[in-house]
Amino acid sequence: MNLKAARGDFDSRMFDLVNMILLSLFTIVILVPLWNVVVSSFSSGRALAEGGFLFWPSEFSLENYRAVFRDESIWQSFLISVSKTVIGVVTHVFFCAMVGYGLSKKYVRGRKLYMTMGVITMFFSGGMIPTYLLIKSLGLLNSFWVYIIPALLSFYDVIILMNFFRNVPDSLEESAKIDGAGDWRIFLYIMIPLSMPAIATIALFNGVGQWNDFMTTKLYITDQSLYPLQMKLYEIIVQSQTQSMQNSGTFAIETTTKGVQLCTIVITTMPIVVMYPILQKYFISGMMLGAMKE
């Protein structure tokens, strides 16, 4: 028995060791390219032109960041990106939660019809041209609200919240109604606080999508004052490529197109990297929704 126990303990330790080694290798595979991007963004154009893998800037330089922030309108674009992300996430989560709460009630008339219509939209869409004509007919072209209104509803998020609301005991709502609470009060003061893990998960995914959204601007916005950060950085990269072609052969290279591109990657990724640890606790809880049943 002691031999079997010792062998089992040895196998368990070896299994943990192998898992730790594999996890360490996986972490290194992820972190090394990210570190290289950050380091390369602080390297001079000459160092980047020479090529090679960089673990530390051989020639430290801030010219790439100066080239990006030289355009004063980038701050306006940053404000647009932050505004559309914050407003878009809040309205999207509230609207999806409101629809999900309504559809979680079996007594709602037409519930099956609404569910069928919603599921169909998950697999089929009108297409790019009909969507453009719809946005135009609604007067949303060159409008800030084109970032918000079309993104109000995602039926996938509605289903997640609807399933969460179904798991809330009916006795909790009945107790609130006995105390005189209406549907809106129950929704705002009971359901929303209880569903924070699901809401945080949906908010994180939707926030990343809103922050990285590029095609909405490309399709529906021509007013440069409404350009988000991603579109402005795209213009800066294009201008950098044009200048590189015009200045090819000059004796001094302060910035390169690659350096500007790496700089823009760092700028656009950093807000998401900062926000993820804040929402990580809720994110993990939200991902486990439905994994356990009573």
Side-chain angles (χ1 to χ4, degrees):
M1 293 295 296
N2 292 333
L3 182 61
K4 290 183 178 179
R7 183 173 181 179
D9 184 59
F10 176 77
D11 292 340
S12 177
R13 290 182 180 180
M14 288 298 298
F15 181 77
D16 293 339
L17 178 62
V18 172
N19 281 340
M20 184 180 65
I21 294 174
L22 292 177
L23 183 61
S24 300
L25 292 175
F26 183 71
T27 304
I28 292 173
V29 169
I30 294 176
L31 291 180
V32 169
L34 293 176
W35 175 253
N36 177 251
V37 169
V38 175
V39 168
S40 298
S41 68
F42 287 99
S43 299
S44 66
R46 185 180 297 103
L48 291 176
E50 292 176 355
F53 191 86
L54 299 177
F55 277 103
W56 193 256
S58 57
E59 295 182 12
F60 182 83
S61 174
L62 295 175
E63 288 300 322
N64 295 321
Y65 288 88
R66 291 194 183 100
V68 172
F69 289 106
R70 191 176 294 124
D71 190 346
E72 297 180 357
S73 63
I74 195 172
W75 298 109
Q76 172 70 16
S77 300
F78 181 78
L79 179 61
I80 293 293
S81 287
V82 172
S83 300
K84 81 184 188 71
T85 300
V86 173
I87 298 175
V89 168
V90 172
T91 55
H92 174 86
V93 169
F94 182 79
F95 196 77
C96 289
M98 187 169 57
V99 176
Y101 178 63
L103 293 178
S104 66
K105 306 303 177 185
K106 295 182 179 180
Y107 57 78
V108 173
R109 292 183 180 180
R111 176 176 171 273
K112 291 184 178 180
L113 176 62
Y114 300 144
M115 288 291 299
T116 302
M117 294 171 59
V119 171
I120 290 175
T121 63
M122 296 175 61
F123 298 97
F124 303 98
S125 65
M128 183 180 295
I129 295 177
T131 303
Y132 178 86
L133 295 176
L134 176 63
I135 296 297
K136 183 179 180 180
S137 65
L138 293 175
L140 294 178
L141 294 181
N142 283 325
S143 171
F144 175 79
W145 297 107
V146 76
Y147 297 124
I148 309 301
I149 295 178
L152 276 178
L153 182 66
S154 168
F155 204 75
Y156 178 82
D157 295 340
V158 169
I159 291 176
I160 293 176
L161 290 167
M162 181 181 64
N163 290 329
F164 183 87
F165 292 141
R166 283 178 179 174
N167 293 327
V168 177
D170 294 335
S171 58
L172 187 61
E173 292 188 57
E174 293 172 358
S175 301
K177 289 182 178 180
I178 292 175
D179 292 336
D183 291 330
W184 276 106
R185 184 175 292 274
I186 293 173
F187 173 68
L188 293 175
Y189 293 99
I190 296 179
M191 292 300 178
I192 292 296
L194 287 177
S195 60
M196 283 307 297
I199 287 177
T201 304
I202 293 173
L204 179 62
F205 281 112
N206 184 256
V208 172
Q210 280 279 10
W211 181 262
N212 293 327
D213 182 30
F214 173 80
M215 286 304 299
T216 300
T217 308
K218 195 72 173 175
L219 293 174
Y220 309 124
I221 300 294
T222 57
D223 184 1
Q224 294 190 5
S225 63
L226 294 175
Y227 278 4
L229 183 62
Q230 285 70 21
M231 190 67 182
K232 179 58 66 175
L233 294 176
Y234 168 76
E235 285 191 336
I236 293 174
I237 291 175
V238 172
Q239 293 174 2
S240 174
Q241 291 175 341
T242 304
Q243 292 176 359
S244 298
M245 293 176 62
Q246 294 175 350
N247 298 332
S248 59
T250 55
F251 61 92
I253 303 177
E254 295 295 335
T255 62
T256 61
T257 302
K258 179 181 178 181
V260 175
Q261 290 175 348
L262 296 174
C263 176
T264 58
I265 291 174
V266 174
I267 294 173
T268 55
T269 306
M270 195 56 61
I272 302 299
V273 173
V274 172
M275 287 301 300
Y276 181 78
I278 300 175
L279 299 175
Q280 183 180 12
K281 177 178 66 174
Y282 299 104
F283 176 73
I284 295 175
S285 301
M287 292 297 290
M288 294 298 294
L289 290 177
M292 295 181 291
K293 299 293 183 181
E294 294 184 0

